[in-house]
Amino acid sequence: RLAHHLIALGVRPDQPVAICVERSAAMVVGLLAILKAGGAYLPLDPAYPSARLRQVLGDAAPQLLLCDAAGRAALGPEVLTNVI
């Protein structure tokens, strides 16, 4: 379902999709969905400093971001306004 939703959102082959979730089954589901949709996943660890996560997002410039509560807290609200 998630892969089809990502395709509907416009994921194309080799398009970067960031994923910032805690290590869990949800992370595996997200990674597999990104790969099934044809995208390239950009893993972000919520334990990293916020400045480093923002720098990686700025360099890769993904249009889509999958995150959970820990990911949203690590990235901050200003980052989430620039991506879907």
Side-chain angles (χ1 to χ4, degrees):
R1 285 181 164 182
L2 182 57
H4 291 287
H5 184 67
L6 291 173
I7 292 168
L9 288 174
V11 173
R12 300 289 175 245
D14 297 327
Q15 177 184 351
V17 178
I19 180 167
C20 187
V21 298
E22 292 181 326
R23 294 174 190 244
S24 64
M27 180 185 75
V28 175
V29 169
L31 293 176
L32 291 174
I34 293 168
L35 291 175
K36 184 175 179 178
Y41 65 88
L42 173 65
L44 301 171
D45 190 348
Y48 280 9
S50 294
R52 175 66 179 142
L53 294 174
R54 289 186 191 120
Q55 180 185 18
V56 171
L57 281 174
D59 288 343
Q63 295 178 354
L64 293 170
L65 169 67
L66 296 176
C67 63
D68 59 1
R72 284 189 297 275
L75 293 169
E78 61 278 351
V79 172
L80 300 176
T81 60
N82 298 331
V83 293
I84 297 173

